[in-house]
Amino acid sequence: MINKDIRSYSSMFPKEYTELRVQENRSNGVALLNGDVVSNGKSAASGVSARIFKDGHWGFASNPNISDDAVESVIRSSTDNVRFLNIRDTSRCGMMLPETFINFEMDFTSQKQKNSQKHWIDFLKALDNYIVNKHPKITSRTVVIRSLDMEKSLITATGSTSYSMTPRAHLMISLSADREGQPIELMEAHGGLGQLEDNFDNPETYFSHIDEQVEHLLNKVDGVYAEAGEKEVILDAELAGILAHEAIGHTTEADLVMGGSVAGDYMGQQVASSLVSLIDFANKVNDVTCPVPVYVDDEGTKSEDVTIIENGVLKNFMHNKDSARYFESTPTGNARAFSFSDEPLIRMRNTAIMPGESKLEEMIASIEDGYYLMKPGNGQADSTSEFMFAVNLGYEIKNGKLGKALMDTTISGVAFDMLKTVDMVSDDMTWVSSGMCGKKQPMPVGMGGPAIRCKVNIGGR
Amino acid sequence: MNPQDVVEYVISTLKKHGAEKVQCTVMDSEKKELNIDAGEMSLFRTTFNSSVGFTIYKDNCKGSISINKMDKDSIDAAIEDVIELANSSEPDEAYDIAEKQPPKSFSTGQTTADMDSMYDRLSEFSDYTKSTYPKVILEQAIIDFTYRKGIFANSNGVKFGLEKGMYNFSPMFTSKDGLNTSSFNYTGFSAKELNKSLKDYGSIDRLLKESQEQVITQQVPGKFKGQIIVTPDCLDDFVSTVMDFVTDIPLISGRSVYKDKLNESIADSRFTMHSNPRSDELESNYFITGDGYESQDCTLIKNGVLKTFLLGIYGANKTGLSRSVNDGGAHIVDSGDVAFHDLVKSMKQGVILSRFSGGNPSDNGDFSGVAKNSYYVENGEVKFPISETMVSGNICDMMNNIVDISKERIDYGDCIYPWVQFDGLTIS
């Protein structure tokens, strides 16, 4: 546990705008490979950082010790750093940041009794034994449980203070089966916001999920390669979520807009079908807490929802204080740092396409020759909004009915073109949050959405 | 406590608590970093950190822990935690630590950053980019100097000292011309000293020039089976994937497509790749493997034949195969004897693949992804930069379908790669 109240350190602040953050990240993980414990470890990294803004430059410094001396040291060092830049580059002299003020505490620490590491190893063993006994066609299995707690205290020169403890915990099951001597794999992730004790109780809860995963995997073993080219597809919720995050979300982070993202040319324009609305939620949707809730960002700004696309029209970018200054806009509370030694960057929180009115079944039935794409692998996007996502589970759709499973494939397109082809949006919504977004630093994010019908390029043979 | 005291205290205390085998790494680090964001000098960052990591084997059960504190209370708490982890775990006789080796200290690079030189080089790079390539926007450019000093030791008497200071530079950029926008691109290098302009390292200047050309792109003319010339910037994606197939987890699980291929051909006979973490050819070296052996240079693939798996102690014991002499990486691919422009001249229809935005290849080697910052080639001529173009194939087949290898190579400081031309890819 770190100190929740660090207000006393504000007396050490220089006259320039200053942020002071104390943070600890704690993680725990166990991995079983074919029943053997291959990983069993914990880590903790904590420290204090200061960041100072003056005349268009930032000075930053961090120290792993959390003490009065360390605080004094990081403030002095970050002051020296900003002065180093101010002396050499006077072109930005006089720039001022918008001021924000908020005091907030949010603690998601589990109220349940903490389980021992043996409990979690036994939990994984129960899952592994179930797979071995129930599914003899599985040739390799990896079962992993892991958690990350991010605990932060912040004070800024404009009087903002915040404390947060935001945990996440996930279970990952990766299974392989044989196809003519070659391995075919399918991975499934479970969990989200919460500590291990909140998210995982009885291993039997996951037996039916394993059965379903094995069924899809064995379908994949008998699967076919997708036919390369542009196809009509249903992107299921997980793929719509990664599309929202990678292909649109990143292009509308204001720092990437300043860096040349094509979204900078499209503000106020129709960039998607009128069925598409896309929001980066700060912490709640319809009073339900999102997988990565952010209430105050690491610059001391209240985190607000950002409506990026409304009924197909590009409406807003996500901002930190510096980009809000540049665009003469308002900070949106998107500035987040991964570890105590990282500076805050503009990061998404929980980015989702909003549900529509169609039923998934009628969407599948509406396609004569296409694909139902269900599970994403990794994904990347571009300043042009051109995206690529791996697809690890999908099925053919022939005459409105699901056909054979697909071998692993990739889809691509230009998001601001592809979203104009969306003509059906399902009325449900699913969140995923097991991955890390990468942008200089890793960062937990939530991605969500309904299923959408659209046209994309698909790789194949 | 100082690093030396921490190592001795951790090992002796854990042995007293019944751990048969202990390995411990203690490291102090300092990073100085300058950032350009959206073309402007924006941030000067200084970070200090410590890391104390130890792994124990107690009754053949494993526990690992990592903290960033060196005070006795924090170390004692971590010792208590790691014993609980090991006591909770399942025994496996394949766990082990490195056997005793002569004590040794390794040192490379500088001990302190030359901040004036870092600023001047970065500022010069920014000015050069703005004046020479006015369409290019430096989305972000980061130069850092990272200094690490520490100790690796284990309960078998291994004791290595390490001191390393390196400069690293990584620019990321996009070009804009009116409403036309290029794909972003990025590259980088590692070096012991900054003794020349940043633009002159690795492939930086060439990629900036190409970025300007890529604001207007076209799609390839339909789907075809063709060739690709993988640039040195992109080659690491492919060769690292091949080597990932021969690491602990794929081999232990039996999923590796190369599990029966040691000392057998897996690539064209003109392809040779070394892993040389100790070579003077590379500015950035590593000296100790993760398991605690002094690393050695080796040849991974010689004339197309797979010469080693990349197994650690656990993987070697689990599979009954030999441990590798390093942890991989530090790749040096031998050059061929054909000039790059002759590779292009020989290509009937294909793509120069400069960046690959692809899904992680399947266990069977199938891959597909989008060609970024790349060019269409027809009848030996570079025709135009491309977009919305997908490349699909199988990496195992691809390694056997090498057409030629360039005689030119690019040195990134931590690896050296040529251009490699492959046949039989689906381009659409």
Side-chain angles (χ1 to χ4, degrees):
Chain A
M1 286 286 290
I2 60 171
N3 192 349
K4 282 188 181 181
D5 186 355
I6 57 172
R7 281 177 295 182
S8 61
Y9 292 128
S10 64
S11 61
M12 298 182 185
F13 284 10
K15 63 181 185 206
E16 290 87 10
Y17 171 73
T18 303
E19 297 159 359
L20 185 78
R21 176 163 41 93
V22 174
Q23 181 173 344
E24 180 169 61
N25 287 4
R26 299 177 291 271
S27 65
N28 184 11
V30 182
L32 262 57
L33 172 63
N34 293 335
D36 292 331
V37 179
V38 291
S39 167
N40 177 29
K42 289 184 178 180
S43 73
S46 62
V48 60
S49 68
R51 192 171 70 144
I52 293 177
F53 183 87
K54 185 164 191 281
D55 288 340
H57 299 119
W58 291 99
F60 180 95
S62 69
N63 193 302
N65 300 310
I66 304 172
S67 64
D68 291 356
D69 286 349
V71 170
E72 193 182 344
S73 161
V74 296
I75 290 173
R76 190 175 56 245
S77 182
S78 51
T79 305
D80 291 345
N81 287 356
V82 80
R83 284 181 185 155
F84 177 95
L85 292 179
N86 287 163
I87 289 166
R88 283 161 178 77
D89 176 14
T90 55
S91 66
R92 310 184 87 195
C93 193
M95 285 181 184
M96 302 290 286
L97 294 176
E99 294 191 0
T100 60
F101 176 79
I102 177 85
N103 303 118
F104 200 84
E105 282 189 20
M106 180 53 73
D107 188 347
F108 284 99
T109 302
S110 178
Q111 300 304 305
K112 296 182 179 175
Q113 190 173 349
K114 207 151 185 60
N115 291 319
S116 67
Q117 195 78 348
K118 184 167 188 336
H119 171 92
W120 296 117
I121 291 175
D122 289 344
F123 180 89
L124 294 184
K125 292 289 281 185
L127 295 174
D128 191 66
N129 287 336
Y130 176 77
I131 298 164
V132 171
N133 294 326
K134 179 80 187 290
H135 297 292
K137 288 186 177 172
I138 298 304
T139 54
S140 175
R141 54 201 194 279
T142 307
V143 193
V144 178
I145 201 160
R146 68 183 184 205
S147 65
L148 171 67
D149 296 345
M150 295 178 75
E151 188 180 17
K152 300 178 177 183
S153 290
L154 174 78
I155 180 167
T156 74
T158 54
S160 285
T161 61
S162 81
Y163 168 82
S164 63
M165 209 305 272
T166 313
R168 70 176 201 167
H170 289 94
L171 165 70
M172 263 79 71
I173 301 173
S174 181
L175 303 175
S176 293
D178 231 37
R179 173 189 168 112
E180 297 169 356
Q182 292 201 323
I184 304 295
E185 188 183 13
L186 186 62
M187 197 273 279
E188 188 75 54
H190 308 274
L193 174 67
Q195 294 187 295
L196 288 169
E197 289 74 12
D198 301 312
N199 293 3
F200 305 108
D201 185 9
N202 187 343
E204 289 181 17
T205 311
Y206 294 92
F207 289 175
S208 61
H209 294 288
I210 290 170
D211 293 344
E212 195 179 329
Q213 185 180 349
V214 170
E215 187 181 344
H216 283 307
L217 174 63
L218 296 180
N219 289 341
K220 230 175 123 174
V221 167
D222 295 326
V224 295
Y225 286 99
E227 190 183 326
E230 189 182 64
K231 283 283 179 182
E232 194 166 35
V233 302
I234 309 286
L235 298 184
D236 206 3
E238 289 190 29
L239 276 148
I242 199 169
L243 177 81
H245 174 93
E246 292 287 353
I248 301 297
H250 279 302
T251 64
T252 56
E253 291 168 328
D255 52 346
L256 298 195
V257 176
M258 291 161 72
S261 155
V262 71
D265 302 321
Y266 295 159
M267 182 58 83
Q269 294 183 28
Q270 192 83 29
V271 293
S273 149
S274 60
L275 295 175
V276 176
S277 290
L278 193 153
I279 298 173
D280 182 53
F281 290 101
N283 44 61
K284 283 191 175 179
V285 183
N286 299 329
D287 275 339
V288 178
T289 303
C290 295
V292 184
V294 179
Y295 295 87
V296 179
D297 77 0
D298 294 329
E299 293 182 337
T301 300
K302 182 176 184 235
S303 291
E304 306 280 3
D305 297 346
V306 180
T307 300
I308 297 168
I309 296 175
E310 187 174 34
N311 301 327
V313 176
L314 183 63
K315 289 286 190 182
N316 292 294
F317 300 139
M318 291 166 277
H319 288 292
N320 60 12
K321 286 184 173 176
D322 195 40
S323 73
R325 171 197 62 75
Y326 179 85
F327 285 100
E328 299 180 347
S329 185
T330 307
T332 51
N334 283 82
R336 304 170 63 202
F338 178 68
S339 86
F340 74 93
S341 58
D342 289 327
E343 76 280 18
L345 305 173
I346 298 176
R347 308 305 295 259
M348 284 170 265
R349 290 86 47 107
N350 305 276
T351 316
I353 292 174
M354 299 308 292
E357 294 178 348
S358 299
K359 298 287 179 197
L360 177 61
E361 299 74 23
E362 70 189 36
M363 292 167 69
I364 293 170
S366 71
I367 290 183
E368 197 171 313
D369 180 17
Y371 298 113
Y372 173 45
L373 306 176
M374 298 172 68
K375 293 277 176 202
N378 62 316
Q380 293 170 15
D382 202 336
S383 43
T384 58
S385 91
E386 188 178 20
F387 64 89
M388 177 292 308
F389 308 133
V391 177
N392 294 340
L393 181 64
Y395 286 86
E396 295 177 317
I397 305 175
K398 299 282 185 194
N399 301 316
K401 294 193 185 312
L402 294 182
K404 284 189 168 275
L406 299 179
M407 299 291 282
D408 289 347
T409 187
T410 307
I411 57 169
S412 67
V414 175
F416 287 126
D417 294 338
M418 180 277 242
L419 283 177
K420 290 177 182 151
T421 71
V422 173
D423 56 5
M424 293 180 95
V425 180
S426 76
D427 61 358
D428 51 357
M429 187 166 174
T430 303
W431 287 103
V432 289
S433 62
S434 57
M436 284 278 193
C437 172
K439 179 183 170 184
K440 190 180 180 191
Q441 311 154 16
M443 185 60 74
V445 290
M447 298 180 267
I452 59 174
R453 190 176 84 163
C454 58
K455 287 180 180 158
V456 295
N457 293 317
I458 191 161
R461 283 191 167 180
Chain B
M1 296 168 82
N2 66 44
Q4 175 71 38
D5 292 342
V6 170
V7 162
E8 287 173 8
Y9 180 73
V10 164
I11 292 175
S12 63
T13 308
L14 282 164
K15 287 191 80 169
K16 276 183 210 158
H17 281 82
E20 296 92 19
K21 297 165 187 171
V22 183
Q23 71 174 42
C24 180
T25 308
V26 180
M27 200 69 70
D28 275 323
S29 66
E30 179 182 354
K31 175 183 277 196
K32 299 273 189 185
E33 178 188 283
L34 291 170
N35 286 229
I36 284 176
D37 287 291
E40 303 291 341
M41 196 73 74
S42 62
L43 168 69
F44 179 2
R45 175 169 168 250
T46 302
T47 66
F48 294 92
N49 209 349
S50 303
S51 67
V52 179
F54 39 98
T55 295
I56 69 166
Y57 302 108
K58 184 169 180 279
D59 302 323
N60 284 328
C61 295
K62 177 181 181 179
S64 298
I65 203 149
S66 158
I67 59 172
N68 69 337
K69 303 282 181 286
M70 288 204 212
D71 62 282
K72 187 171 177 299
D73 288 348
S74 299
I75 299 287
D76 283 339
I79 285 172
E80 199 174 310
D81 277 352
V82 83
I83 290 168
E84 194 239 325
L85 291 175
N87 285 340
S88 304
S89 193
E90 304 270 321
D92 191 333
E93 292 188 354
Y95 294 136
D96 209 344
I97 58 174
E99 62 262 28
K100 187 168 184 175
Q101 298 152 76
K104 214 166 179 178
S105 288
F106 306 98
S107 175
T108 185
Q110 311 293 312
T111 56
T112 53
D114 181 344
M115 284 312 305
D116 287 327
S117 177
M118 281 173 68
Y119 183 89
D120 291 344
R121 291 292 185 200
L122 189 60
S123 183
E124 173 196 46
F125 176 73
S126 177
D127 292 344
Y128 171 79
T129 305
K130 282 176 185 163
S131 61
T132 313
Y133 306 114
K135 294 176 193 168
V136 171
I137 300 170
L138 283 179
E139 195 172 320
Q140 188 164 63
I142 301 170
I143 188 164
D144 77 69
F145 176 82
T146 303
Y147 172 73
R148 291 189 178 88
K149 185 175 183 183
I151 300 169
F152 179 100
N154 76 17
S155 54
N156 282 347
V158 171
K159 194 167 185 183
F160 292 133
L162 176 70
E163 192 173 9
K164 182 175 179 180
M166 294 295 294
Y167 291 97
N168 304 285
F169 180 56
S170 53
M172 182 175 181
F173 43 89
T174 298
S175 290
K176 272 187 96 76
D177 188 10
L179 293 180
N180 295 314
T181 304
S182 75
S183 288
F184 69 74
N185 205 351
Y186 55 87
T187 183
F189 70 83
S190 299
K192 289 176 191 163
E193 293 181 15
L194 298 175
N195 48 20
K196 58 183 177 183
S197 296
L198 300 180
K199 70 178 175 60
D200 294 328
Y201 284 93
S203 54
I204 292 171
D205 199 36
R206 175 174 55 81
L207 295 185
L208 289 169
K209 177 177 174 292
E210 289 179 0
S211 177
Q212 284 218 135
E213 300 166 0
Q214 292 160 359
V215 290
I216 297 175
T217 57
Q218 298 178 46
Q219 292 184 33
V220 296
K223 178 181 169 183
F224 64 94
K225 274 265 184 194
Q227 297 183 347
I228 57 173
I229 296 172
V230 178
T231 68
D233 307 283
C234 190
L235 189 66
D236 189 72
D237 288 350
F238 292 94
V239 295
S240 292
T241 295
V242 169
M243 297 319 300
D244 284 347
F245 285 149
V246 297
T247 53
D248 276 11
I249 299 296
L251 287 166
I252 294 170
S253 66
R255 296 200 308 263
S256 172
V257 285
Y258 294 131
K259 63 187 177 200
D260 303 317
K261 294 289 188 185
L262 188 62
N263 291 317
E264 296 200 13
S265 173
I266 64 163
D268 183 276
S269 62
R270 287 164 294 175
F271 186 83
T272 293
M273 180 166 76
H274 314 274
S275 174
N276 287 356
R278 305 294 299 278
S279 168
D280 289 340
E281 272 190 276
L282 298 175
E283 290 263 307
S284 181
N285 300 132
Y286 68 84
F287 303 94
I288 308 165
T289 70
D291 285 332
Y293 288 96
E294 182 178 351
S295 63
Q296 299 171 39
D297 292 345
C298 69
T299 298
L300 302 169
I301 299 171
K302 186 173 184 182
N303 299 329
V305 174
L306 179 65
K307 299 305 290 182
T308 181
F309 289 139
L310 288 176
L311 290 166
I313 298 173
Y314 181 74
N317 289 345
K318 212 70 188 161
T319 58
L321 297 162
S322 297
R323 180 186 67 79
S324 56
V325 299
N326 66 38
D327 290 341
H331 292 154
I332 299 176
V333 173
D334 284 359
S335 54
D337 50 14
V338 181
F340 165 68
H341 72 266
D342 287 329
L343 292 184
V344 177
K345 269 188 190 171
S346 73
M347 197 146 88
K348 192 177 171 209
Q349 188 180 25
V351 161
I352 299 171
L353 189 68
S354 193
R355 183 163 74 85
F356 184 65
S357 176
N360 296 325
S362 306
D363 284 342
N364 66 1
D366 285 346
F367 70 90
S368 58
V370 179
K372 298 281 191 181
N373 311 100
S374 299
Y375 292 84
Y376 176 64
V377 177
E378 195 174 276
N379 296 323
E381 280 184 29
V382 178
K383 293 293 184 185
F384 48 79
I386 57 176
S387 58
E388 297 186 68
T389 300
M390 202 168 256
V391 176
S392 311
N394 179 284
I395 197 157
C396 309
D397 296 343
M398 190 172 141
M399 293 302 291
N400 283 305
N401 286 326
I402 291 174
V403 179
D404 245 318
I405 298 170
S406 73
K407 61 183 176 188
E408 303 94 333
R409 297 191 299 180
I410 301 290
D411 179 356
Y412 298 95
D414 56 1
C415 58
I416 300 173
Y417 289 129
W419 283 256
V420 182
Q421 187 172 3
F422 299 92
D423 201 4
L425 284 302
T426 301
I427 298 161
S428 58

